[in-house]
Amino acid sequence: MKFATKAIHAGIEPDPTTGAIMTPIYQTSTYVQESPGKHKGYEYARTQNPTRTVLQNNLAALENGKHGICYASGLGATDAILKLFKPGDEIIASNDLYGGTYRIMVRVFQEFGLTFRFVDLSNPENLEPAITSATKMVWIETPTNPLLRLVDIAAISAITKEHGIKLVVDNTFASPYLQNPLDLGADIVMHSVTKYLGGHSDTVMGAIILNDDEIAEQLAFIQNACGAVPGPQDCFLVLRGIKTLHVRMQRHCENAMKVAHYLLQHPKISQVYYPGLASHAGHELAKKQMRDFGGMLSFELKGDSMPEAIRVMESFSVFSLGESLGGVESLCTHPASMTHASIPKEARLKNGLKDTLIRLSVGIEDVDDLIQDLAQAIA
């Protein structure tokens, strides 16, 4: 199947009891057994749920993977991956990444003996010198949050395979519609399903997709032991959201490109970060490893004035000021005080994340209305 067909049909069958075309919401905590240990594949809803199973199979198909595991949140998925390691193990991560990922690494797992080093992986040549005998995993985002830097998945994968370490790719910004990291050599793909996969700002969920049977078994054990499971209603909502993923992503990309070009020529804008622009440092790589350029962009105002940046964000009427991204509605976010506030200011500035940076999740509204809203807010 091609992507649009997989989004609607992969892993999904009509309900065998009634023929219902939509996967039922199995709102149950337990399942009746014929005899102790003799059941129909389901014992207890923390361990398995039929609605969740269908979603996991659907997500695995979209990422061209074998195993899909859904979690109560994107950070729940991140937590499970980090629990694969033990004290003394080292993880190398992109230095430009989601603040919540940085927080769980440095303020939670570092306290339990894992070591984290943050490296600029937009240049793959920076990885090799950073690897030590303790390095067990490399964690990347591409495009990165919020500076939209590109990381060459295939190049990084070649290095990790040579050293026998695992590569995890947070594919949230791209979604499976734009990019399939497993096909480029990644070992594990992670998603905040809350974002583009759900697509309607009504669900919080995470997911992991992979091919390795042994690691999948470990992750399933960790999930069952620790309990970070999504509910069946949320799984139903995401299944419904995925059916329009390809249509939504096409419009996100079209709108973001037009918004980026508008901002690029605006006299009050000093910098626009969008991989679809020919001036973007990762533009050629984006053309190579992505199918389009996505719905996320960031920009900076001339003068680098915090009061002016706040004024602009308070002036939007179509763009809503809020955390998150990937919904049908356009959102504006201030990373320094919202999504990335957990990263120390010194580290943010060193990585190029200014306090005045504004991030946009460009929705699927009429693009003329979005540009008009930007014009009146920035004026």
Side-chain angles (χ1 to χ4, degrees):
M1 292 183 187
K2 293 187 177 179
F3 188 89
T5 310
K6 286 200 290 187
I8 296 170
H9 294 289
I12 301 169
E13 299 289 342
D15 176 52
T17 304
T18 65
I21 196 166
M22 295 301 294
T23 303
I25 303 168
Y26 286 89
Q27 196 73 53
T28 184
S29 61
T30 192
Y31 308 86
V32 174
Q33 303 188 22
E34 295 177 34
S35 182
K38 186 179 181 182
H39 49 76
K40 298 174 181 174
Y42 294 91
E43 305 161 80
Y44 186 63
R46 185 185 67 250
T47 313
Q48 320 105 332
N49 176 279
T51 315
R52 193 166 93 220
T53 297
V54 172
L55 174 58
Q56 291 175 159
N57 291 340
N58 182 244
L59 288 171
L62 294 184
E63 283 287 13
N64 300 326
K66 184 176 180 181
H67 305 283
I69 308 172
C70 289
Y71 294 82
S73 69
L75 281 167
T78 301
D79 175 83
I81 294 170
L82 296 177
K83 285 174 178 169
L84 292 170
F85 303 99
K86 61 183 184 298
D89 288 345
E90 178 182 78
I91 293 160
I92 297 172
S94 307
N95 65 345
D96 179 21
L97 80 171
Y98 168 52
T101 306
Y102 177 92
R103 180 179 58 220
I104 195 172
M105 287 178 172
V106 172
R107 299 187 61 184
V108 178
F109 280 90
Q110 196 161 271
E111 297 295 314
F112 292 104
L114 296 188
T115 301
F116 298 92
R117 289 201 288 148
F118 300 93
V119 178
D120 179 4
L121 296 178
S122 58
N123 182 354
E125 293 179 4
N126 293 336
L127 177 57
E128 188 97 38
I131 294 172
T132 72
S133 59
T135 306
K136 304 297 182 185
M137 181 178 78
V138 173
W139 182 290
I140 63 174
E141 296 176 6
T142 182
T144 63
N145 181 3
L147 292 170
L148 284 302
R149 291 174 177 146
L150 270 289
V151 180
D152 190 327
I153 298 171
I156 296 292
S157 169
I159 297 169
T160 57
K161 282 180 167 49
E162 183 181 339
H163 288 269
I165 57 182
K166 300 301 180 185
L167 173 60
V168 177
V169 178
D170 181 340
N171 202 29
T172 299
F173 263 32
S175 88
Y177 176 81
L178 297 178
Q179 181 173 272
N180 297 119
L182 295 179
D183 293 348
L184 297 171
D187 297 290
I188 298 173
V189 175
M190 195 284 290
H191 282 278
S192 174
V193 177
T194 308
K195 313 305 193 298
Y196 285 110
L197 288 165
H200 293 79
S201 302
D202 55 8
T203 312
V204 174
M205 192 185 296
I208 295 170
I209 301 97
L210 69 163
N211 286 313
D212 188 291
D213 295 341
E214 184 179 346
I215 297 176
E217 187 176 343
Q218 286 179 272
L219 288 168
F221 171 81
I222 289 167
Q223 180 182 51
N224 190 51
C226 299
V229 297
Q233 173 73 25
D234 288 336
C235 293
F236 172 85
L237 288 171
V238 173
L239 277 167
R240 184 172 66 171
I242 287 173
K243 289 181 185 294
T244 59
L245 177 62
H246 54 296
V247 182
R248 290 186 284 106
M249 289 305 301
Q250 184 178 7
R251 179 58 64 87
H252 284 300
C253 294
E254 291 171 359
N255 283 359
M257 181 69 84
K258 291 176 181 177
V259 166
H261 278 287
Y262 169 77
L263 292 171
L264 191 65
Q265 56 78 41
H266 198 290
K268 290 189 176 182
I269 303 299
S270 63
Q271 187 66 256
V272 181
Y273 301 93
Y274 183 63
L277 297 175
S279 58
H280 189 282
H283 180 64
E284 291 304 316
L285 176 58
K287 288 198 297 184
K288 177 183 173 184
Q289 74 180 17
M290 298 172 68
R291 300 180 189 96
D292 208 328
F293 303 108
M296 300 299 301
L297 62 89
S298 296
F299 67 95
E300 295 164 4
L301 298 163
K302 286 182 178 176
D304 201 27
S305 165
M306 191 65 182
E308 178 63 8
I310 291 172
R311 185 200 66 77
V312 169
M313 288 183 280
E314 290 177 345
S315 300
F316 285 120
S317 59
V318 180
F319 283 88
S320 298
L321 179 61
E323 298 201 19
S324 200
L325 59 104
V328 292
E329 64 289 310
S330 293
L331 288 175
C332 162
T333 298
H334 180 236
S337 67
M338 298 165 75
T339 55
H340 291 66
S342 58
I343 300 176
K345 182 173 181 176
E346 182 180 336
R348 292 199 308 267
L349 293 174
K350 183 179 178 182
N351 293 336
L353 172 50
K354 294 182 179 180
D355 283 353
T356 51
L357 183 89
I358 297 172
R359 192 191 76 185
L360 300 180
S361 173
V362 181
I364 65 171
E365 302 94 338
D366 190 294
V367 72
D368 290 340
D369 291 328
L370 297 179
I371 290 174
Q372 184 178 355
D373 193 34
L374 284 161
Q376 65 81 25
I378 296 170

